[in-house]
Amino acid sequence: MSLPLPLPTASPLPYPTYLQSPTHPSLPLSAQTHHSILRALLKTHSYAPSAQKPPLLASILAALTAYLPHLFALTAGLSGRSVRGEEIAVALTRELDVEWRSALRGEGAGVGRGKNRRMGRKKGRKMRVKGVDHEVCFALSALALVLRAQARERLRGVYYGGAGEEDRIVGVTAAMRLLLQAEGAHAFLAAEVCPGLSAAGPSSDAAAMPETSAQVQGGLRALAMAEATLLAVAKDDPYPGVVAQGRSKEDREWMIKGPEIPKVRAHLFARLCIAAGEHAGRAEAMLKVGDGDGGRVDEGVVAYAEDLRRTARAKACRFFAVDDELGGETGRGIAWLRAAKKELGWRVWEDGEKGWSKGWGKLKKGLDEKREDRKLEKGGEWGADGGKMEEGRLIPPFEPLLAGMPSGREIHSSKSYVPPELDAEALEKMRAPPDPDEARALMDDGDDSSDEDVAAGSDLPGSFPGRSAAESEYY
């Protein structure tokens, strides 16, 4: 399952107030138009009920896809680079100033751990950032989070929508591709965008935003790779389906025959899970280190990375158990299953062991075994325990198995995000001056105004009587 995170929201951004282009006069206004569409969709998604959020994701992705080429064209014009061989000149009349609400900051992403974890329940405060590069950072962060949210919805339909075998494979494959696209966006942010923001120095509240940290983006990149690797295993893993079938009250197939479990490439799957665990462990470490860059990453995000690491290693142990059982080493397979519980954080006790005397229990067991061996050597009585000790020797301890785990094996290769460019036809149209009526209408658009502009006496729909719309936040 993909990490559940809210989407960021932004304040209005009148580009013509900050930027002018002598070669492409319509470019700043066109960028503002697409930014306004994106902002409106993000705001609608933020206030929509949970059941109405998923259908909005496709529209938000389309708005981001249309907005980002304009944003990168403005960046190219400011830095003197060409777009499709065409020179774009952009002049900065005043420093760009915009506010974003973080999706990763500790007060905004979610609180709690384990069963009590709540993602996206509390909105963080708005933060002011300056410069086009910060706008690029947050737009790409929004893109990665939208891709993650789409992957999560595809997986929800697979695991909770009663999908058939073919639909399950199609859904898991689609979610895996979306996560790999998100990984590419995080990789581009970590390698190309965030280091430049750090070198330029803090920009107002930007230093307190986790999205601007290269460490945090690198951690999210590793987290997306871990999720995509686990999905590559889940696509061909028959055991969760068998367990779900056993829990289903509607299933009656067990009356006719037992479940058919095909043979799997257990050892290969185990090594893939180990690789996923390594990625998740790296993500956990980088997200913790990212706290020192300024913005505190929500503890729920760090806890998710830890849980994903435990899950991946437990899956690896389970597949090693399957591999040993297929090879006839049932006792070793049982030890692997006990190791899987250990990796999940569940306490695994030895036979006859008490919680406070675990070390003494192991020592006593070893002494009893040596004493029994000496009895056999001297021809004494034996077998009074019904063979319990001898049977216990057939199940080896799991600690040496965990210590001797092989290295992981990668299945996905990282592909960094490629910034989109405006096509030649769009660039040609932007050579014309902007329509004054269109510019005036966009500047006066009510969607780009804050909620404080609404009459103070009006009540918010669905709110308590007496609460005015002016008391609401504008995004």
Side-chain angles (χ1 to χ4, degrees):
M1 187 61 71
S2 179
L3 173 64
L5 279 173
L7 300 183
T9 52
S11 67
L13 180 55
Y15 274 108
T17 306
Y18 303 104
L19 302 172
Q20 291 182 354
S21 176
T23 59
H24 298 76
S26 296
L27 177 58
L29 182 63
S30 181
Q32 180 183 348
T33 302
H34 290 286
H35 179 273
S36 300
I37 296 172
L38 172 62
R39 173 184 173 268
L41 288 170
L42 288 174
K43 181 179 177 181
T44 302
H45 182 274
S46 175
Y47 286 101
S50 299
Q52 298 178 12
K53 290 179 183 290
L56 293 170
L57 294 175
S59 299
I60 296 175
L61 182 61
L64 279 165
T65 304
Y67 172 56
L68 284 170
H70 294 78
L71 187 55
F72 281 111
L74 290 173
T75 306
L78 288 171
S79 58
R81 300 193 312 269
S82 61
V83 177
R84 297 188 183 276
E86 185 172 345
E87 295 294 334
I88 297 180
V90 177
L92 189 68
T93 58
R94 50 184 286 203
E95 190 175 21
L96 187 143
D97 191 344
V98 64
E99 290 179 342
W100 279 87
R101 194 184 301 278
S102 172
L104 300 174
R105 189 172 167 79
E107 59 189 7
V111 294
R113 293 175 63 91
K115 295 185 296 182
N116 299 321
R117 191 178 310 156
R118 296 291 185 270
M119 293 288 187
R121 293 297 183 91
K122 182 181 178 182
K123 290 184 178 180
R125 67 184 179 92
K126 53 185 179 290
M127 296 282 193
R128 185 175 300 278
V129 296
K130 297 180 181 294
V132 179
D133 290 338
H134 283 94
E135 178 68 15
V136 172
C137 178
F138 279 94
L140 284 178
S141 296
L143 174 65
L145 293 178
V146 169
L147 292 170
R148 282 179 171 276
Q150 285 192 319
R152 180 175 173 80
E153 289 306 315
R154 295 303 297 264
L155 293 175
R156 186 193 300 274
V158 168
Y159 289 106
Y160 301 103
E165 182 63 21
E166 293 185 2
D167 293 337
R168 185 184 70 84
I169 294 176
V170 171
V172 171
T173 303
M176 182 173 60
R177 290 174 179 171
L178 288 168
L179 286 173
L180 289 175
Q181 293 178 31
E183 188 269 344
H186 288 305
F188 182 82
L189 282 166
E192 303 293 337
V193 179
C194 293
L197 299 179
S198 301
S203 173
S204 187
D205 290 337
M209 305 287 270
E211 284 86 346
T212 63
S213 168
Q215 286 284 344
V216 172
Q217 294 295 344
L220 293 175
R221 171 193 181 184
L223 197 61
M225 181 61 77
E227 293 168 332
T229 304
L230 286 180
L231 286 183
V233 175
K235 184 166 62 70
D236 299 319
D237 185 4
Y239 294 94
V242 173
V243 174
Q245 181 181 357
R247 293 199 312 264
S248 175
K249 297 180 180 179
E250 306 298 328
D251 180 61
R252 298 292 183 271
E253 188 176 350
W254 60 269
M255 297 181 178
I256 304 173
K257 61 178 182 178
E260 296 181 359
I261 303 178
K263 289 186 178 180
V264 296
R265 296 166 291 177
H267 196 272
L268 173 62
F269 287 174
R271 293 190 61 188
L272 293 179
C273 291
I274 292 175
E278 292 171 352
H279 287 300
R282 191 178 306 115
E284 180 186 0
M286 296 181 76
L287 290 172
K288 288 181 178 178
V289 173
D291 291 352
D293 291 354
R296 180 175 64 88
V297 180
D298 184 83
E299 65 173 6
V301 180
V302 180
Y304 175 86
E306 178 187 357
D307 290 344
L308 191 68
R309 175 183 60 80
R310 289 180 177 275
T311 300
R313 289 183 62 85
K315 280 180 180 286
C317 293
R318 174 166 64 87
F319 281 115
F320 280 132
V322 172
D323 186 53
D324 284 338
E325 195 274 336
L326 292 175
E329 299 185 32
T330 306
R332 184 181 169 95
I334 294 174
W336 274 118
L337 292 179
R338 299 179 72 179
K341 288 190 173 183
K342 179 71 172 179
E343 288 293 337
L344 289 173
W346 301 345
R347 198 63 181 267
V348 181
W349 305 107
E350 298 289 344
D351 293 337
E353 182 182 329
K354 303 295 183 182
W356 58 270
S357 59
K358 182 177 179 181
W360 167 247
K362 285 187 175 182
L363 177 61
K364 181 176 182 297
K365 182 180 178 182
L367 293 174
D368 290 343
E369 290 180 352
K370 292 181 180 179
R371 189 180 300 112
E372 190 73 11
D373 291 339
R374 285 198 296 269
K375 284 184 181 180
L376 293 175
E377 293 174 359
K378 295 179 180 180
E381 297 294 333
W382 63 277
D385 61 350
K388 183 177 69 173
M389 186 174 296
E390 189 65 27
E391 184 64 25
R393 292 177 176 179
L394 299 179
I395 304 177
F398 61 83
E399 288 85 356
L401 298 179
L402 290 176
M405 264 191 172
S407 60
R409 178 172 176 178
E410 300 291 346
I411 188 173
H412 299 303
S413 58
S414 178
K415 296 182 180 179
S416 184
Y417 174 80
V418 178
E421 293 183 341
L422 287 171
D423 55 36
E425 183 179 357
L427 288 172
E428 183 67 26
K429 290 180 179 179
M430 290 178 191
R431 287 185 174 276
D435 186 356
D437 295 334
E438 180 184 355
R440 191 179 305 109
L442 188 58
M443 295 299 293
D444 296 338
D445 189 1
D447 179 67
D448 281 348
S449 63
S450 66
D451 291 344
E452 285 81 2
D453 296 335
V454 183
S458 60
D459 291 336
L460 285 174
S463 65
F464 289 102
R467 182 187 178 190
S468 65
E471 297 174 5
S472 152
E473 298 171 345
Y474 67 88
Y475 66 92

